[in-house]
Amino acid sequence: MAIIEISEDEWLGMNRIGTGVDAILFSTPFCGTCKVAERMLEIADAAGTPATLYKINMNYAPKLREAWRISSVPCLAVVKNGEPVQLEYAMRSVDHIYNLLNHAEQV
């Protein structure tokens, strides 16, 4: 499954309660580190993960940025039942991201 690019309004309009684990990559178009994080997330996804993956442009997500207190990009928000359970700012390795997504249901 690929990373689905959505807007903040689309995310807020979705009913994600009881639907498992999602991961949202908050990034900006001209952020080089964000591009690397997205590629790492794509590789982790190709290896198989139960999480549905989304990408949101941080420049157009003021409600989520404030509500979830996201301080910088890239930020990988692991979301369970529509609420963030972990915010990951340091994309250490593909293995770290893979394990984070595959063990998120236990959080």
Side-chain angles (χ1 to χ4, degrees):
M1 176 185 274
I3 300 172
I4 303 164
E5 188 164 357
I6 62 171
S7 70
E8 179 182 62
D9 289 336
E10 288 172 324
W11 172 260
L12 293 172
M14 297 170 77
N15 182 9
R16 300 305 296 166
I17 305 302
T19 59
V21 176
D22 298 309
I24 304 172
L25 178 65
F26 288 91
S27 62
T28 58
F30 298 110
C31 168
T33 308
C34 297
K35 301 280 188 231
V36 172
E38 183 175 352
R39 182 66 183 129
M40 291 170 73
L41 193 58
E42 288 171 347
I43 295 168
D45 182 44
T49 179
T52 304
L53 306 177
Y54 298 95
K55 180 172 102 169
I56 296 179
N57 184 336
M58 179 64 106
N59 292 327
Y60 302 108
K63 295 173 193 166
L64 290 174
R65 182 175 56 230
E66 187 172 323
W68 293 357
R69 298 182 180 175
I70 298 171
S71 58
S72 66
V73 292
C75 176
L76 182 63
V78 179
V79 181
K80 189 171 180 182
N81 296 320
E83 292 297 321
V85 292
Q86 185 170 353
L87 299 177
E88 189 72 27
Y89 294 98
M91 308 301 154
R92 300 174 198 164
S93 67
V94 171
D95 184 54
H96 175 73
I97 293 171
Y98 176 81
N99 289 326
L100 178 72
L101 296 175
N102 282 312
H103 296 99
E105 290 186 353
Q106 299 170 1
V107 176

XYZ file of all heavy atoms in Angstrom:
830
model
N 0.848 -1.184 0.000
C 0.000 0.000 0.000
C 0.886 1.237 0.000
O 1.884 1.296 0.686
C -0.897 -0.017 1.241
C -1.748 1.218 1.365
S -2.698 1.285 2.893
C -4.124 0.377 2.391
N 0.530 2.207 -0.759
C 1.311 3.437 -0.869
C 0.921 4.437 0.225
O -0.073 4.256 0.916
C 1.082 4.057 -2.237
N 1.718 5.468 0.326
C 1.395 6.548 1.250
C 0.326 7.410 0.592
O 0.500 7.874 -0.534
C 2.643 7.390 1.577
C 3.718 6.503 2.217
C 2.286 8.546 2.493
C 5.055 7.180 2.394
N -0.761 7.640 1.287
C -1.889 8.399 0.755
C -1.729 9.867 1.167
O -1.683 10.174 2.355
C -3.222 7.846 1.307
C -3.351 6.359 0.973
C -4.399 8.645 0.767
C -4.410 5.635 1.773
N -1.645 10.745 0.181
C -1.530 12.178 0.476
C -2.929 12.751 0.635
O -3.765 12.630 -0.263
C -0.780 12.914 -0.628
C -0.471 14.344 -0.255
C 0.590 14.968 -1.137
O 1.140 14.290 -2.014
O 0.865 16.161 -0.930
N -3.186 13.337 1.799
C -4.506 13.908 2.084
C -4.338 15.288 2.697
O -3.258 15.659 3.150
C -5.338 13.014 3.037
C -4.662 12.863 4.397
C -5.618 11.657 2.416
C -5.520 12.179 5.441
N -5.440 16.025 2.744
C -5.430 17.342 3.386
C -5.874 17.190 4.842
O -6.422 16.160 5.239
C -6.380 18.292 2.659
O -7.724 17.901 2.876
N -5.635 18.223 5.593
C -6.068 18.231 6.990
C -7.586 18.056 7.086
O -8.070 17.270 7.898
C -5.645 19.543 7.658
C -6.089 19.644 9.107
C -5.703 20.962 9.726
O -6.186 22.008 9.233
O -4.925 20.948 10.688
N -8.333 18.743 6.240
C -9.791 18.632 6.277
C -10.265 17.220 5.943
O -11.220 16.727 6.543
C -10.434 19.642 5.322
C -10.307 21.072 5.819
O -10.147 21.263 7.051
O -10.365 21.999 4.989
N -9.589 16.571 5.001
C -9.947 15.190 4.668
C -9.710 14.271 5.866
O -10.536 13.420 6.180
C -9.138 14.691 3.460
C -9.552 15.317 2.154
C -8.614 14.967 1.018
O -7.390 14.864 1.234
O -9.123 14.805 -0.103
N -8.566 14.461 6.542
C -8.285 13.646 7.726
C -9.326 13.887 8.818
O -9.842 12.942 9.407
C -6.885 13.922 8.268
C -6.662 13.240 9.589
C -6.741 13.805 10.824
C -6.375 11.857 9.818
N -6.517 12.867 11.793
C -6.293 11.662 11.200
C -6.188 10.770 8.974
C -6.015 10.416 11.770
C -5.916 9.530 9.542
C -5.831 9.360 10.917
N -9.622 15.145 9.069
C -10.580 15.472 10.129
C -11.985 14.971 9.807
O -12.773 14.713 10.706
C -10.589 16.983 10.396
C -9.289 17.538 10.993
C -9.335 19.056 11.039
C -9.028 16.955 12.376
N -12.286 14.813 8.532
C -13.597 14.320 8.120
C -13.722 12.805 8.150
O -14.820 12.259 8.002
N -12.599 12.121 8.340
C -12.622 10.653 8.358
C -12.983 10.158 9.750
O -12.565 10.730 10.751
C -11.246 10.089 7.981
C -10.816 10.430 6.579
S -9.095 10.012 6.260
C -9.211 8.265 6.034
N -13.731 9.089 9.816
C -14.037 8.460 11.095
C -13.039 7.336 11.298
O -13.184 6.261 10.745
C -15.467 7.927 11.108
C -15.829 7.310 12.432
O -15.077 7.413 13.401
N -16.969 6.650 12.489
N -12.008 7.581 12.095
C -10.941 6.591 12.277
C -11.053 5.873 13.622
O -10.146 5.156 14.004
C -9.581 7.276 12.172
C -9.329 7.968 10.843
C -9.492 7.105 9.631
N -8.521 6.033 9.590
C -8.590 4.982 8.781
N -9.598 4.858 7.954
N -7.676 4.053 8.795
N -12.154 6.036 14.331
C -12.325 5.375 15.617
C -12.558 3.885 15.399
O -13.433 3.488 14.637
C -13.504 5.991 16.404
C -13.321 7.511 16.542
C -13.658 5.335 17.767
C -12.058 7.947 17.211
N -11.775 3.055 16.061
C -11.929 1.618 15.989
C -11.444 0.989 14.702
O -11.762 -0.160 14.422
N -10.674 1.717 13.918
C -10.226 1.178 12.637
C -8.764 0.746 12.658
O -8.188 0.492 11.608
C -10.438 2.204 11.516
O -9.704 3.382 11.839
C -11.902 2.538 11.337
N -8.166 0.676 13.811
C -6.786 0.212 13.881
C -5.785 1.342 13.941
O -6.064 2.421 14.447
N -4.613 1.070 13.371
C -3.481 1.982 13.471
C -3.253 2.702 12.144
O -3.290 2.098 11.087
C -2.209 1.204 13.869
C -0.997 2.115 13.891
C -2.399 0.542 15.221
N -3.023 4.003 12.253
C -2.653 4.823 11.103
C -1.322 5.501 11.433
O -0.945 5.620 12.597
C -3.694 5.929 10.852
C -5.065 5.383 10.518
O -5.158 4.535 9.623
O -6.036 5.807 11.160
N -0.634 5.949 10.416
C 0.575 6.742 10.601
C 0.502 7.903 9.622
O 0.218 7.711 8.445
C 1.819 5.906 10.344
N 0.720 9.101 10.145
C 0.677 10.308 9.314
C 2.062 10.948 9.318
O 2.598 11.264 10.381
C -0.339 11.334 9.842
C -1.724 10.723 9.956
C -0.365 12.563 8.937
C -2.724 11.634 10.648
N 2.619 11.119 8.139
C 3.886 11.828 8.002
C 3.567 13.288 7.725
O 2.992 13.621 6.689
C 4.722 11.248 6.865
C 6.051 11.962 6.607
C 6.988 11.817 7.811
C 6.712 11.430 5.342
N 3.908 14.139 8.667
C 3.767 15.582 8.477
C 5.079 16.077 7.886
O 6.154 15.838 8.444
C 3.494 16.285 9.808
C 2.113 16.041 10.333
C 1.858 14.982 11.185
C 1.058 16.863 9.958
C 0.585 14.747 11.672
C -0.228 16.629 10.431
C -0.467 15.569 11.292
N 4.999 16.744 6.743
C 6.194 17.209 6.056
C 5.891 18.509 5.317
O 4.755 18.975 5.315
C 6.685 16.145 5.072
O 5.703 15.900 4.095
N 6.915 19.055 4.695
C 6.757 20.224 3.832
C 7.458 19.927 2.511
O 8.397 19.127 2.465
C 7.341 21.501 4.470
O 8.718 21.287 4.753
C 6.606 21.877 5.751
N 7.008 20.562 1.431
C 7.525 20.223 0.097
C 9.030 20.439 -0.108
O 9.659 19.695 -0.846
C 6.737 21.130 -0.842
C 5.537 21.544 -0.087
C 5.915 21.523 1.356
N 9.615 21.442 0.532
C 11.019 21.761 0.274
C 11.959 21.273 1.361
O 13.114 21.683 1.419
C 11.179 23.274 0.070
C 10.403 23.767 -1.124
C 9.285 24.561 -0.963
C 10.783 23.403 -2.407
C 8.555 24.997 -2.060
C 10.058 23.831 -3.511
C 8.939 24.636 -3.337
N 11.487 20.369 2.207
C 12.292 19.815 3.301
C 13.003 18.561 2.825
O 12.361 17.549 2.532
C 11.373 19.517 4.490
S 12.112 18.534 5.792
N 14.324 18.617 2.727
C 15.099 17.465 2.277
C 15.011 16.291 3.233
O 14.912 15.136 2.812
N 15.039 16.560 4.522
C 14.930 15.499 5.516
C 13.561 14.824 5.437
O 13.448 13.623 5.654
C 15.154 16.068 6.929
O 16.380 16.805 6.945
C 15.216 14.972 7.970
N 12.548 15.590 5.077
C 11.198 15.038 4.911
C 11.165 14.039 3.756
O 10.494 13.004 3.833
C 10.177 16.143 4.672
S 10.018 17.294 6.046
N 11.882 14.345 2.689
C 11.952 13.436 1.536
C 12.608 12.116 1.933
O 12.161 11.036 1.534
C 12.728 14.072 0.390
C 12.156 15.368 -0.114
C 10.993 15.136 -1.035
C 10.587 16.458 -1.658
N 9.183 16.725 -1.527
N 13.664 12.196 2.739
C 14.346 10.997 3.209
C 13.401 10.197 4.116
O 13.299 8.974 3.997
C 15.653 11.354 3.953
C 16.265 10.128 4.611
C 16.639 12.014 3.013
N 12.704 10.884 5.007
C 11.755 10.210 5.902
C 10.648 9.524 5.114
O 10.252 8.398 5.437
C 11.161 11.224 6.876
N 10.161 10.179 4.068
C 9.111 9.579 3.241
C 9.631 8.321 2.545
O 8.920 7.308 2.483
C 8.620 10.591 2.210
C 7.479 10.075 1.366
C 6.899 11.114 0.414
O 7.277 12.307 0.491
O 6.058 10.722 -0.416
N 10.843 8.365 2.050
C 11.425 7.190 1.383
C 11.599 6.045 2.379
O 11.322 4.891 2.072
C 12.759 7.564 0.732
C 13.376 6.421 -0.017
C 12.542 6.022 -1.229
N 13.140 4.877 -1.882
C 12.506 3.766 -2.207
N 11.211 3.653 -1.989
N 13.137 2.769 -2.762
N 12.038 6.351 3.587
C 12.193 5.328 4.617
C 10.839 4.712 4.961
O 10.736 3.491 5.139
C 12.844 5.934 5.863
C 14.289 6.328 5.659
S 14.969 7.289 7.027
C 15.133 6.028 8.270
N 9.816 5.526 5.018
C 8.464 5.044 5.299
C 7.958 4.153 4.164
O 7.314 3.129 4.412
C 7.537 6.243 5.514
C 6.170 5.977 6.116
C 6.272 5.297 7.472
C 5.412 7.284 6.256
N 8.276 4.510 2.925
C 7.895 3.686 1.771
C 8.556 2.310 1.834
O 7.924 1.290 1.536
C 8.280 4.385 0.461
C 7.431 5.578 0.126
C 7.962 6.389 -1.046
O 9.134 6.177 -1.457
O 7.222 7.241 -1.549
N 9.812 2.271 2.243
C 10.527 1.000 2.347
C 9.937 0.151 3.471
O 9.718 -1.053 3.299
C 12.040 1.233 2.545
C 12.642 1.891 1.309
C 12.762 -0.082 2.871
C 14.043 2.425 1.505
N 9.664 0.766 4.608
C 9.044 0.045 5.717
C 7.677 -0.490 5.308
O 7.306 -1.616 5.651
C 8.920 0.951 6.940
N 6.934 0.289 4.540
C 5.624 -0.142 4.051
C 5.756 -1.328 3.104
O 4.975 -2.276 3.171
C 4.918 1.031 3.361
C 3.531 0.683 2.867
O 2.770 0.038 3.611
O 3.198 1.052 1.725
N 6.738 -1.303 2.235
C 6.949 -2.399 1.288
C 7.301 -3.695 2.010
O 6.990 -4.788 1.531
C 8.043 -2.030 0.297
N 7.918 -3.578 3.178
C 8.259 -4.757 3.975
C 7.037 -5.330 4.674
O 7.075 -6.453 5.160
C 9.336 -4.401 4.995
N 5.963 -4.558 4.721
C 4.706 -5.031 5.314
C 4.456 -4.437 6.684
O 5.233 -4.651 7.608
N 3.388 -3.697 6.793
C 2.998 -3.099 8.068
C 1.474 -3.014 8.125
O 0.838 -2.796 7.095
C 3.634 -1.695 8.248
O 3.203 -1.148 9.483
C 3.277 -0.758 7.133
N 0.887 -3.192 9.294
C -0.567 -3.144 9.399
C -1.145 -1.724 9.386
O -2.344 -1.547 9.234
C -0.852 -3.819 10.741
C 0.375 -3.549 11.555
C 1.512 -3.562 10.569
N -0.297 -0.732 9.510
C -0.763 0.656 9.583
C -1.111 1.200 8.203
O -0.455 0.888 7.214
C 0.306 1.538 10.229
N -2.152 2.016 8.152
C -2.476 2.771 6.940
C -1.643 4.043 6.978
O -1.629 4.745 7.991
C -3.977 3.107 6.891
O -4.720 1.896 6.991
C -4.333 3.815 5.597
N -0.953 4.353 5.891
C 0.000 5.465 5.867
C -0.562 6.659 5.112
O -1.077 6.520 4.001
C 1.309 5.008 5.222
C 1.952 3.767 5.841
C 3.195 3.385 5.067
C 2.266 3.977 7.304
N -0.422 7.827 5.728
C -0.879 9.079 5.143
C 0.249 10.096 5.181
O 1.187 9.981 5.968
C -2.071 9.647 5.930
C -3.279 8.766 5.926
C -3.524 7.877 6.968
C -4.200 8.817 4.881
C -4.644 7.066 6.969
C -5.326 8.009 4.875
C -5.539 7.141 5.925
O -6.649 6.335 5.915
N 0.119 11.123 4.335
C 1.067 12.246 4.327
C 0.264 13.529 4.260
O -0.664 13.653 3.450
C 1.992 12.128 3.121
C 3.017 13.248 3.026
C 4.010 12.967 1.918
C 3.677 13.789 0.719
N 4.716 13.774 -0.310
N 0.601 14.485 5.126
C -0.075 15.780 5.163
C 0.976 16.886 5.111
O 1.986 16.827 5.824
C -0.940 15.933 6.439
C -2.082 14.907 6.437
C -1.498 17.349 6.551
C -2.973 14.957 7.673
N 0.722 17.886 4.274
C 1.600 19.058 4.191
C 1.380 19.897 5.445
O 0.295 20.433 5.675
C 1.274 19.864 2.932
C 2.210 21.028 2.731
O 2.829 21.543 3.662
N 2.307 21.475 1.489
N 2.422 20.015 6.253
C 2.339 20.736 7.526
C 1.946 22.200 7.345
O 1.319 22.787 8.225
C 3.689 20.652 8.228
C 3.713 21.387 9.540
S 2.597 20.658 10.714
C 3.771 19.870 11.740
N 2.286 22.785 6.201
C 1.949 24.192 5.963
C 0.441 24.425 5.944
O -0.005 25.555 6.166
C 2.542 24.666 4.634
C 4.049 24.720 4.668
O 4.656 24.999 5.696
N 4.667 24.442 3.532
N -0.325 23.396 5.650
C -1.776 23.532 5.537
C -2.508 22.689 6.570
O -3.629 22.244 6.325
C -2.218 23.143 4.122
C -1.549 23.981 3.062
C -0.564 23.445 2.246
C -1.877 25.329 2.920
C 0.068 24.226 1.291
C -1.244 26.112 1.970
C -0.282 25.556 1.169
O 0.358 26.331 0.224
N -1.882 22.478 7.728
C -2.497 21.673 8.787
C -2.430 22.380 10.146
O -1.940 21.820 11.119
C -1.820 20.320 8.859
N -2.954 23.606 10.241
C -2.830 24.336 11.506
C -3.612 23.707 12.664
O -3.177 23.774 13.814
C -3.363 25.726 11.174
C -4.288 25.507 10.017
C -3.666 24.383 9.233
N -4.753 23.108 12.375
C -5.559 22.519 13.456
C -4.854 21.330 14.085
O -4.747 21.239 15.311
C -6.932 22.089 12.924
C -7.793 23.231 12.447
C -9.048 22.721 11.774
C -9.747 23.841 11.022
N -10.759 23.303 10.103
N -4.381 20.413 13.261
C -3.676 19.244 13.792
C -2.349 19.646 14.419
O -1.955 19.103 15.454
C -3.439 18.211 12.689
C -4.685 17.495 12.182
C -4.345 16.613 10.984
C -5.323 16.675 13.281
N -1.643 20.575 13.794
C -0.353 21.038 14.326
C -0.521 21.554 15.750
O 0.251 21.223 16.643
C 0.223 22.120 13.416
C 1.574 22.629 13.845
C 2.159 23.618 12.849
N 1.273 24.743 12.609
C 0.921 25.190 11.397
N 1.387 24.599 10.315
N 0.126 26.218 11.264
N -1.576 22.326 15.969
C -1.809 22.888 17.303
C -2.366 21.847 18.267
O -1.898 21.722 19.394
C -2.769 24.072 17.220
C -2.911 24.793 18.537
C -3.710 26.079 18.412
O -3.569 26.768 17.384
O -4.469 26.367 19.331
N -3.351 21.089 17.830
C -3.989 20.105 18.708
C -3.010 19.015 19.155
O -3.043 18.578 20.304
C -5.191 19.481 18.013
N -2.155 18.583 18.243
C -1.222 17.506 18.565
C 0.146 18.034 18.984
O 1.052 17.272 19.249
C -1.081 16.561 17.386
C -2.333 15.792 17.069
C -3.519 15.816 17.756
C -2.524 14.887 15.993
N -4.425 14.983 17.162
C -3.852 14.395 16.074
C -1.723 14.439 14.956
C -4.367 13.482 15.176
C -2.238 13.534 14.061
C -3.547 13.051 14.173
N 0.308 19.345 18.994
C 1.547 20.009 19.404
C 2.765 19.527 18.621
O 3.799 19.182 19.183
C 1.767 19.845 20.904
C 0.674 20.490 21.710
C 0.907 20.364 23.157
N -0.201 21.014 23.868
C -0.345 20.995 25.146
N 0.546 20.379 25.894
N -1.363 21.592 25.714
N 2.613 19.532 17.314
C 3.713 19.120 16.438
C 4.670 20.299 16.303
O 4.273 21.386 15.910
C 3.180 18.664 15.068
C 2.275 17.446 15.269
C 4.321 18.368 14.114
C 1.513 17.028 14.046
N 5.929 20.068 16.635
C 6.872 21.177 16.723
C 7.794 21.331 15.520
O 8.375 22.394 15.338
C 7.718 21.035 17.997
O 8.406 19.805 18.002
N 7.963 20.263 14.720
C 8.842 20.377 13.561
C 8.530 19.265 12.569
O 7.768 18.356 12.862
C 10.314 20.316 13.987
O 10.624 19.041 14.518
N 9.155 19.372 11.402
C 9.023 18.339 10.391
C 10.396 17.750 10.106
O 11.390 18.443 10.293
C 8.385 18.884 9.083
C 6.944 19.246 9.304
C 9.173 20.033 8.499
N 10.483 16.522 9.701
C 9.386 15.581 9.552
C 8.901 15.088 10.907
O 9.664 15.012 11.868
C 10.005 14.432 8.758
C 11.454 14.463 9.114
C 11.779 15.916 9.319
N 7.626 14.762 10.949
C 7.024 14.198 12.157
C 6.130 13.033 11.732
O 5.218 13.215 10.932
C 6.203 15.238 12.902
S 5.344 14.566 14.349
N 6.402 11.875 12.263
C 5.571 10.710 12.008
C 4.670 10.522 13.224
O 5.145 10.221 14.316
C 6.425 9.460 11.779
C 5.663 8.185 11.445
C 4.906 8.335 10.119
C 6.601 6.998 11.388
N 3.384 10.749 13.013
C 2.404 10.594 14.089
C 1.780 9.212 13.967
O 1.168 8.891 12.953
C 1.338 11.675 13.993
N 1.962 8.397 14.991
C 1.317 7.089 15.042
C -0.023 7.306 15.735
O -0.083 7.818 16.848
C 2.183 6.060 15.802
C 1.477 4.721 15.872
C 3.544 5.933 15.149
N -1.083 6.943 15.025
C -2.444 7.263 15.466
C -3.221 5.971 15.679
O -3.236 5.100 14.812
C -3.159 8.138 14.411
C -4.551 8.504 14.866
C -2.338 9.390 14.122
N -3.845 5.874 16.838
C -4.671 4.708 17.152
C -6.062 5.202 17.512
O -6.214 6.059 18.381
C -4.055 3.929 18.304
C -4.709 2.602 18.577
C -3.899 1.820 19.590
C -4.553 0.497 19.869
N -3.800 -0.254 20.874
N -7.062 4.684 16.821
C -8.451 5.090 17.052
C -8.638 6.601 16.918
O -9.378 7.222 17.668
C -8.945 4.602 18.408
C -8.978 3.087 18.476
O -9.348 2.428 17.520
N -8.577 2.535 19.601
N -7.916 7.191 15.974
C -8.075 8.609 15.680
C -7.284 9.561 16.549
O -7.300 10.764 16.325
N -6.566 9.040 17.551
C -5.793 9.898 18.448
C -4.312 9.518 18.394
O -3.981 8.334 18.356
C -6.289 9.759 19.890
C -7.680 10.329 20.112
C -7.761 11.823 19.864
O -6.814 12.553 20.235
O -8.767 12.258 19.280
N -3.415 10.522 18.426
C -1.987 10.209 18.368
C -1.526 9.502 19.644
O -1.884 9.912 20.745
C -1.324 11.579 18.222
C -2.299 12.541 18.811
C -3.656 11.955 18.540
N -0.769 8.436 19.472
C -0.199 7.732 20.619
C 1.312 7.940 20.698
O 1.912 7.718 21.738
C -0.525 6.215 20.595
C -2.007 5.994 20.809
C -0.066 5.560 19.320
N 1.911 8.367 19.571
C 3.337 8.641 19.559
C 3.671 9.583 18.415
O 3.159 9.439 17.311
C 4.120 7.334 19.400
C 5.608 7.515 19.488
C 6.334 6.179 19.576
O 5.722 5.137 19.692
N 7.646 6.227 19.508
N 4.537 10.544 18.702
C 5.074 11.444 17.684
C 6.563 11.165 17.567
O 7.293 11.250 18.551
C 4.844 12.913 18.061
C 3.397 13.366 18.218
C 3.337 14.822 18.665
C 2.631 13.183 16.927
N 6.990 10.812 16.375
C 8.391 10.463 16.139
C 9.012 11.522 15.237
O 8.587 11.712 14.100
C 8.460 9.080 15.484
C 9.826 8.513 15.389
C 10.403 8.061 16.726
O 9.645 7.710 17.651
O 11.633 8.070 16.831
N 10.012 12.222 15.753
C 10.684 13.262 14.980
C 11.996 12.774 14.378
O 12.405 13.249 13.334
C 10.966 14.485 15.858
C 9.713 15.188 16.313
C 9.173 14.962 17.568
C 9.046 16.066 15.468
C 8.019 15.593 17.978
C 7.883 16.709 15.868
C 7.379 16.462 17.131
O 6.223 17.091 17.524
N 12.655 11.856 15.027
C 13.941 11.333 14.547
C 13.699 10.034 13.793
O 13.362 9.025 14.392
C 14.877 11.088 15.726
N 13.842 10.080 12.487
C 13.682 8.878 11.666
C 15.023 8.160 11.665
O 15.849 8.362 10.786
C 13.241 9.236 10.247
C 12.030 10.128 10.153
S 10.587 9.422 10.935
C 9.710 10.923 11.346
N 15.259 7.370 12.687
C 16.562 6.754 12.925
C 16.977 5.789 11.824
O 18.110 5.811 11.368
C 16.537 6.021 14.253
C 16.229 6.929 15.402
C 16.066 6.160 16.676
N 15.368 7.017 17.637
C 14.817 6.574 18.721
N 14.858 5.297 19.015
N 14.211 7.411 19.535
N 16.055 4.907 11.454
C 16.360 3.902 10.436
C 15.058 3.309 9.925
O 14.002 3.448 10.549
C 17.243 2.789 11.007
O 16.509 2.051 11.979
N 15.137 2.616 8.804
C 13.963 1.931 8.274
C 13.500 0.878 9.269
O 12.309 0.717 9.520
C 14.266 1.293 6.902
C 13.123 0.401 6.444
C 14.553 2.366 5.866
N 14.456 0.179 9.869
C 14.127 -0.853 10.854
C 13.363 -0.264 12.043
O 12.387 -0.847 12.524
C 15.411 -1.543 11.332
C 15.129 -2.687 12.275
O 14.348 -3.585 11.900
O 15.695 -2.683 13.392
N 13.797 0.900 12.516
C 13.122 1.564 13.632
C 11.678 1.922 13.254
O 10.750 1.689 14.029
C 13.899 2.816 14.049
C 13.213 3.621 15.098
N 13.141 3.223 16.412
C 12.523 4.790 15.025
C 12.461 4.115 17.098
N 12.079 5.074 16.274
N 11.486 2.485 12.066
C 10.142 2.854 11.613
C 9.275 1.614 11.445
O 8.113 1.586 11.861
C 10.210 3.669 10.307
C 10.873 5.020 10.580
C 8.821 3.860 9.709
C 11.198 5.813 9.334
N 9.840 0.563 10.853
C 9.118 -0.695 10.652
C 8.634 -1.252 12.001
O 7.472 -1.619 12.150
C 10.030 -1.693 9.940
C 9.421 -3.059 9.767
C 8.534 -3.311 8.729
C 9.735 -4.098 10.632
C 7.965 -4.567 8.558
C 9.182 -5.351 10.473
C 8.292 -5.581 9.434
O 7.730 -6.824 9.285
N 9.534 -1.310 12.979
C 9.163 -1.819 14.300
C 8.142 -0.925 14.986
O 7.222 -1.419 15.642
C 10.398 -1.995 15.183
C 11.250 -3.157 14.737
O 10.732 -4.173 14.257
N 12.562 -3.021 14.872
N 8.290 0.365 14.828
C 7.347 1.313 15.406
C 5.940 1.076 14.873
O 4.968 1.009 15.627
C 7.799 2.747 15.083
C 6.921 3.890 15.566
C 7.048 4.039 17.076
C 7.319 5.181 14.882
N 5.814 0.897 13.571
C 4.503 0.687 12.953
C 3.930 -0.699 13.255
O 2.734 -0.847 13.423
C 4.611 0.896 11.448
C 4.980 2.297 11.003
C 5.167 2.348 9.497
C 3.950 3.308 11.455
N 4.782 -1.700 13.344
C 4.301 -3.054 13.579
C 3.976 -3.334 15.035
O 3.265 -4.299 15.324
C 5.302 -4.081 13.047
C 5.184 -4.213 11.550
O 4.103 -4.353 11.013
N 6.310 -4.135 10.866
N 4.462 -2.521 15.941
C 4.155 -2.713 17.356
C 3.222 -1.639 17.892
O 2.971 -1.566 19.088
C 5.449 -2.764 18.169
C 6.300 -3.933 17.808
N 7.370 -3.838 16.961
C 6.207 -5.242 18.146
C 7.915 -5.034 16.805
N 7.227 -5.907 17.502
N 2.695 -0.802 17.020
C 1.834 0.305 17.457
C 0.513 -0.191 18.047
O -0.055 0.480 18.903
C 1.554 1.238 16.274
N 0.031 -1.331 17.615
C -1.234 -1.847 18.153
C -1.107 -2.208 19.618
O -2.097 -2.239 20.334
C -1.705 -3.041 17.342
C -2.170 -2.657 15.948
C -2.766 -3.810 15.182
O -2.711 -4.960 15.662
O -3.314 -3.552 14.107
N 0.110 -2.446 20.097
C 0.332 -2.818 21.498
C 0.386 -1.606 22.406
O 0.337 -1.751 23.618
C 1.614 -3.623 21.606
C 1.574 -4.906 20.803
C 2.919 -5.589 20.726
O 3.903 -5.115 21.291
N 2.983 -6.695 20.016
N 0.496 -0.431 21.841
C 0.597 0.796 22.636
C -0.732 1.116 23.253
O -1.774 0.997 22.701
C 1.102 1.974 21.765
C 1.104 3.263 22.563
C 2.457 1.676 21.222
